[in-house]
Amino acid sequence: MAVDDSGVSRDVYTAFWEQFLELCEGEEERVPKLRPDFSKERTVRIGNHGNALVFLLPMEEPYVNFLSINQKCPLQKMSPIKDVVDVTPKVKAMALADRAMFDKGMRAFVSYVQAYAKHECSLIFRVKDLDFVSLAKGFALLRLPKMPELKGKTFPDFVETTVDTDSIRYKDKNRQKQRQKMLAEQKNKEKTELPKKNFVKNKAWSKQKTKKERKKKRGAKRKHDEDSDMDEEYMKELLEDTRLLKKLKKGQISEEDFEQQLTNSKQEAGGP
């Protein structure tokens, strides 16, 4: 066992984590990001060069300017690929033949939708703008998953498979054996559970519940109004940054003026 009497290890670890946190962004969760002062060689893996591809819907194009201005990360438009082979039927066949493939498609769909729901740029990436049918077809889903974002919605254009998806087995025998064991335990648990009691609502409790519901609705309305104000401020800041960027591209202002005006606008908006 080694003893660090002089505290060298502690200082090294402290410096490492301080530098690491500087490379992160986010309020509730710290997520590593590419900083503007990073060279290309530092942003690739093991010295290998590469590119990242971002798929955007037509209404999400303002995100291009947002990345260019706020993250110093310019994007280049990619031309559509011609003669694309439709592999959806093949992927669906793979999902029917192996539950592992079926699970991957379902998890990917859920992760994609939740990424929209939790994105910090909620003004640009909105769950209500998603085409769930096209998205499900793109992930070659056999059926739609049960999730809050789809609750109460109907999708007549999406045709589910006639196969009972619960009957799809894992090709991996160990995983299939484990699943069968889990299903058997769940079935036994349902049998041993006591039946739920039917409570009769009395008048006083009903009134109390109605009062709570009214209070909950008022709170939700207040939160919606606050979020609307925040969205308007964010949109104004985004439009102002875009306006400055256009001036810079047209040569109406210098890069020094652009940086100065951008800094001033963020300070006026209450930013760092």
Side-chain angles (χ1 to χ4, degrees), residues 7-268:
V8 175
S9 298
R10 179 194 60 200
D11 294 341
V12 171
Y13 291 138
T14 301
F16 168 78
W17 285 113
E18 286 179 350
Q19 185 178 6
F20 176 81
L21 290 174
E22 288 179 1
L23 311 183
C24 300
E25 63 180 349
E27 296 296 331
E28 298 181 357
E29 298 179 359
R30 303 296 290 173
V31 181
K33 68 174 182 178
L34 300 181
R35 284 174 36 168
D37 57 341
F38 270 20
S39 63
K40 187 176 181 181
E41 287 71 20
R42 294 186 65 184
T43 60
V44 296
R45 295 184 177 182
I46 322 177
N48 296 322
H49 294 269
N51 297 302
L53 185 62
V54 180
F55 292 93
L56 297 174
L57 296 172
M59 70 283 293
E60 297 167 358
E61 288 187 3
Y63 190 60
V64 176
N65 289 335
F66 174 82
L67 285 180
S68 178
I69 297 170
N70 294 280
Q71 304 297 331
K72 310 296 183 185
C73 180
L75 302 182
Q76 294 180 350
K77 190 173 182 179
M78 179 179 175
S79 301
I81 301 174
K82 298 179 180 179
D83 302 327
V84 179
V85 180
D86 184 10
V87 296
T88 306
K90 186 176 181 179
V91 179
K92 282 188 175 182
M94 293 169 66
L96 286 169
D98 187 2
R99 189 169 194 85
M101 195 69 183
F102 170 78
D103 290 343
K104 287 178 181 178
M106 297 288 274
R107 286 199 298 268
F109 179 89
V110 172
S111 297
Y112 189 99
V113 175
Q114 289 184 346
Y116 269 75
K118 298 178 181 179
H119 204 285
E120 290 185 353
C121 295
S122 57
L123 192 65
I124 299 176
F125 298 99
R126 302 184 296 183
V127 177
K128 65 179 183 179
D129 291 334
L130 283 176
D131 184 350
F132 292 107
V133 174
S134 297
L135 188 62
K137 291 178 180 178
F139 282 106
L141 298 191
L142 302 178
R143 65 171 176 82
L144 290 171
K146 295 179 180 179
M147 55 189 302
E149 289 79 6
L150 304 183
K151 190 175 181 181
K153 295 182 174 65
T154 56
F155 305 97
D157 294 334
F158 180 78
V159 181
E160 294 190 357
T161 180
T162 55
V163 178
D164 181 9
T165 54
D166 291 336
S167 64
I168 300 176
R169 300 168 61 88
Y170 287 106
K171 278 189 175 181
D172 188 323
K173 293 182 179 179
N174 291 329
R175 291 190 68 180
Q176 179 60 23
K177 186 177 180 181
Q178 189 177 14
R179 179 172 179 266
Q180 288 177 335
K181 182 180 178 181
M182 183 189 67
L183 291 174
E185 291 176 353
Q186 186 177 355
K187 191 174 182 180
N188 291 332
K189 185 179 179 181
E190 291 175 355
K191 287 182 179 180
T192 55
E193 283 183 351
L194 296 174
K196 294 182 179 179
K197 295 181 179 180
N198 295 323
F199 293 96
V200 179
K201 297 181 181 179
N202 54 44
K203 190 173 181 180
W205 185 87
S206 180
K207 286 183 177 179
Q208 187 179 5
K209 182 181 178 183
T210 304
K211 186 178 179 181
K212 286 183 178 179
E213 288 177 350
R214 285 200 301 267
K215 185 177 179 181
K216 186 177 180 181
K217 288 181 179 178
R218 287 197 299 268
K221 186 178 183 301
R222 253 193 327 267
K223 186 177 184 303
H224 178 268
D225 293 340
E226 291 174 359
D227 291 344
S228 298
D229 293 339
M230 291 177 64
D231 288 344
E232 288 178 3
E233 292 177 4
Y234 172 77
M235 193 59 180
K236 287 180 181 178
E237 183 180 350
L238 185 62
L239 290 174
E240 178 63 21
D241 292 345
T242 305
R243 184 182 65 81
L244 290 175
L245 182 64
K246 287 181 179 179
K247 281 189 174 183
L248 177 64
K249 288 182 177 180
K250 291 179 179 179
Q252 296 177 355
I253 58 174
S254 63
E255 291 187 6
E256 185 178 349
D257 292 336
F258 172 76
E259 294 291 342
Q260 183 63 38
Q261 292 185 38
L262 189 64
T263 304
N264 293 339
S265 65
K266 287 187 176 181
Q267 288 177 350
E268 291 174 1

